[in-house]
Amino acid sequence: MNRATVLKLENLVHLHCACRQLHSLPYRKVHRAQWKPLHPSAYPTLSAQLYSQLWQANKFSSVALSQYRLLATDTWEKKQKQKLSSIKPKVKKEVVEIWQNMTVEDLARVMNKDIDHVYETLLNTNVDLDSLTSNSVLEEVWVKEAVKKSGMTYKQRELKKKMRKNKDVVKRPPADPALLTPRPPVVTILGHVDHGKTTLLDNLRKSQVAAMEAGGITQHIGAFLVHLPSGEKITFLDTPGHAAFTAMRARGSRITDIVILVVAADDGVMEQTVESIHHAKNAKVPIILAINKCDKPEADPERVKKELLAYDVVCEDYGGDVQAVNISALKGDNLMALAEATVALAEVLELKADFAGLVKGVVIESRIDKGKGPVTTAVIQGGTLRKGCFLIAGKSWAKVRLMYDENGQTMAVATPGLPVEIMGWKEIPSAGDEILEVESEQIARNVVDWRNYAEQQEKIKQDIEVIEAKRKKHRDEYEKQQEMFDGLSWRMRKRAQYEAGKDVWFLRPKEREESDRNVLPIIVKGDVDGSVETLLNILDGYNAKDECELDILHFGIGDINQNDINLAEPFKGIIYGFCVNADSSTQKLAAKKGIKIKLHNIIYKLIEDLKEELSRRLPLAVHELEIGEASVLAIFYGTVKKNKNVPVAGCRVQEGQLNRKMKFKVIRNGDVIWKGLSTSLKHFKDDVQVVKAGMECGLSLDQYTDIKIGDQIICYEEKEVKESISWDPGF
């Protein structure tokens, strides 16, 4: 800064101080300030005035400068205080612990949020929210994104390098053949529905099982011990013959020693007969042919034997090794011959087992009994089962409390080859699970924990594979989308993306899912595990998801209870019960909450009811009902409703009638080229509503002028029709 500029600044300060002095003069007079002005003289000298003014100016300039510095300091301090007050104190963010393979439910729990919050944090990401469930495994990048959007920080859980030890039970090696003892054979009765399987077993047992079956068909697998007059024992498994119970028949053939194939002499080989043959051959089990209903006049046993040749079942009469016995299960004819043939085949097979080792068996059926709790029907294959034994089956364990035979009588021991009902299970094992005995309760618990852990790990592995597949799919879609937006500016690209997804972006995940879904939520309850398994197998074959989705909310064993009602309420679901009941309090609660309960004792009646309910969910279909047909013979031009030069089709009605109130369509060369309404219909010069077959008329169509000679005009009525679901369960 040069000296001239400094002098100018000093002069400005001096001037400012003088102004302040003049401005404060009245104030000083009022408050009697001690201020004495210079005494004027008659002839004042310039130098005196000048030095006096300079002295005053210097004095006030120093004061002004000090006041200016004070003012600047105050202003700076105020600004600093405002700046500090505007800075918010740092809030310590909550830290959540994350790990690999976290599920949606795990993430919501560690963040102390609900699952919907997790869905909201993953909006506008590459995550397919429609496919996410509470048990879905999230990728690590998605977990971190959700935590950041929730205003939290994360820390990685330390990986445990130690692998979990396999604590599953190990199968025992085969026993010494010298220690094996003969056991009763296990015989499964297979065949087509209503061919007399249960009636045959009733006559052997002298019971009336068939009379108690709903609809006259077997719907459960049953295990029974039959004592023959010769003292021999045979364990029979009676399987359902209905088409829906394929899994039960397959399970029966896998755990059996001999298959008795029952074929009606009047019907011959049927669909389930062929299926039963395949089950027996797949299990490599020998077959005995029982040709039933030979007492009927139309019976033809030889025809049955010839038909079976096509399926590689060759009877002894035709040079094969399959024994064939003609019987009448209803009258009891020749049943002893069938039993003797079974015993003879069992002797040839030399069926033996170890009675002294640890127990081994197979679950035939399981159910929940109101007084007994979880109960399983099993066939013992090895060892001797006693009260107090610890058993493992699937992911359940039991300490045997009581054992019953098929008649409900308590048993002290159950040896190999015998059917038994076991009471004492902590959970319900699945039908077909292998039963193994362990030494203690602790071992049983460890085995179940390990199996649950192994199942969870397998599920996580499958979820990761699904995630990888979906990531690849989304990546391909993203790349394809980017190719579509090539050449567009950033703003145009964002606008196009917004327009493409604006209808669903602002919906919650549940609302987005429900906005375009036609779905029927159901709960399935059955009396035994096999029944539920059969129903689920049928529902797995549901193939009409494009018309109406079928959502199984829950399935289980036992009577319908209030928990089922509460579960179905948010989804407005329907509860289907097979061979179960619902008490009065449950029914009242269901009526109060508007939940339907549908109980059935016959499986195909339940499936028919389900099909009707699915059909009710379908939208009404519009069908065109043709009323009349006419051909265009000529084209005229006239005035129609004040519109001039309107083409009018001169027509002759060939079939039915033309009705002005109905809709019309124009067909040319077999193609429909126009649909709509008419503006006028005349017979000669008169406006009419209807023109019948054989009559001529003039027809003008609404906003259609391309009518030509030779066109066909169809008059039709639109009717809304309720359609049925296209699902075919296969029976």
Side-chain angles (χ1 to χ4, degrees), residues 440-583:
S440 65
E441 179 180 338
Q442 186 61 43
I443 295 176
R445 291 180 181 273
N446 291 340
V447 171
V448 171
D449 289 344
W450 166 259
R451 291 183 176 181
N452 287 325
Y453 170 77
E455 183 184 34
Q456 182 183 13
Q457 294 301 310
E458 183 64 26
K459 185 179 182 303
I460 289 174
K461 182 180 177 182
Q462 294 175 359
D463 287 345
I464 292 175
E465 292 176 356
V466 172
I467 288 174
E468 291 298 328
K470 289 187 176 180
R471 283 185 64 193
K472 184 178 183 304
K473 179 182 176 182
H474 288 310
R475 186 164 54 249
D476 294 342
E477 291 178 353
Y478 176 77
E479 292 175 356
K480 184 178 179 181
Q481 189 181 41
Q482 290 300 111
E483 292 177 359
M484 293 173 56
F485 295 148
D486 279 348
L488 297 179
S489 65
W490 179 83
R491 293 184 181 276
M492 294 175 66
R493 187 183 300 116
K494 287 295 182 182
R495 182 65 182 176
Q497 291 175 349
Y498 170 77
E499 291 293 336
K502 66 180 180 180
D503 294 334
V504 295
W505 278 9
F506 299 106
L507 295 177
R508 287 177 176 266
K510 292 181 180 178
E511 296 172 350
R512 184 187 307 177
E513 186 176 359
E514 294 171 358
S515 62
D516 55 353
R517 289 181 63 192
N518 184 19
V519 61
L520 173 63
I522 64 171
I523 292 176
V524 178
K525 298 296 288 287
D527 56 340
V528 295
D529 182 72
S531 301
V532 177
E533 177 192 27
T534 299
L535 288 170
L536 294 179
N537 287 339
I538 295 172
L539 299 180
D540 281 343
Y542 180 71
N543 54 5
K545 294 181 180 180
D546 54 336
E547 300 175 41
C548 180
E549 290 189 35
L550 186 62
D551 186 9
I552 302 175
L553 302 175
H554 172 67
F555 59 87
I557 303 171
D559 289 342
I560 298 170
N561 52 45
Q562 296 186 7
N563 290 335
D564 300 323
I565 306 298
N566 295 331
L567 178 59
E569 182 187 8
F571 304 93
K572 301 300 180 184
I574 299 176
I575 303 175
Y576 283 93
F578 179 66
C579 296
V580 295
N581 295 312
D583 56 28

Side-chain angles (χ1 to χ4, degrees), residues 413-448:
V413 294
T415 54
L418 298 185
V420 59
E421 279 194 354
I422 304 172
M423 178 179 167
W425 295 95
K426 305 305 176 184
E427 301 290 341
I428 303 176
S430 300
D433 284 346
E434 183 181 29
I435 297 176
L436 295 174
E437 183 184 2
V438 294
E439 290 79 5
S440 65
E441 179 180 338
Q442 186 61 43
I443 295 176
R445 291 180 181 273
N446 291 340
V447 171
V448 171

Side-chain angles (χ1 to χ4, degrees), residues 122-129 142 470-471 474-475 478:
L122 296 176
L123 285 172
N124 300 328
T125 64
N126 292 333
V127 184
D128 185 7
L129 297 181
W142 301 342
K470 289 187 176 180
R471 283 185 64 193
H474 288 310
R475 186 164 54 249
Y478 176 77

Side-chain angles (χ1 to χ4, degrees), residues 313-376:
V313 178
V314 184
C315 299
E316 292 176 340
D317 298 346
Y318 292 88
D321 58 353
V322 176
Q323 301 180 72
V325 183
N326 298 338
I327 63 171
S328 173
L330 187 62
K331 295 183 177 181
D333 296 342
N334 219 19
L335 296 187
M336 283 301 102
L338 178 62
E340 291 171 0
T342 305
V343 172
L345 182 56
E347 291 177 354
V348 173
L349 296 175
E350 295 183 353
L351 302 173
K352 296 181 179 181
D354 180 15
F355 282 61
L358 294 174
V359 174
K360 178 183 177 182
V362 177
V363 177
I364 302 298
E365 196 60 274
S366 59
R367 71 180 194 278
I368 294 180
D369 190 282
K370 286 186 177 180
K372 302 176 183 177
V375 177
T376 61

Side-chain angles (χ1 to χ4, degrees), residues 399-415:
K399 181 180 180 181
V400 179
R401 291 161 51 195
L402 288 171
M403 296 180 293
Y404 302 91
D405 61 14
E406 71 272 18
N407 298 315
Q409 301 298 318
T410 57
M411 300 172 63
V413 294
T415 54

Side-chain angles (χ1 to χ4, degrees), residues 667-708:
I667 299 177
R668 184 179 300 162
N669 298 327
D671 298 327
V672 178
I673 60 175
W674 178 85
K675 285 184 177 182
L677 300 173
S678 66
T679 54
S680 70
L681 179 63
K682 293 187 176 183
H683 180 58
F684 295 107
K685 293 185 178 182
D686 300 327
D687 289 326
V688 293
Q689 292 293 330
V690 177
V691 179
K692 297 182 179 180
M695 299 174 63
E696 296 181 350
C697 63
L699 177 66
S700 63
L701 303 175
D702 186 20
Q703 297 182 357
Y704 184 69
T705 59
D706 191 27
I707 192 73
K708 295 182 179 180

Side-chain angles (χ1 to χ4, degrees), residues 128 130 143 168 208 296 323 329 362 418 469 503 570 603 640 696:
D128 185 7
D130 294 334
V143 173
D168 201 355
Q208 295 293 325
K296 287 189 173 183
Q323 301 180 72
V362 177
L418 298 185
D503 294 334
I603 193 165
V640 178
E696 296 181 350

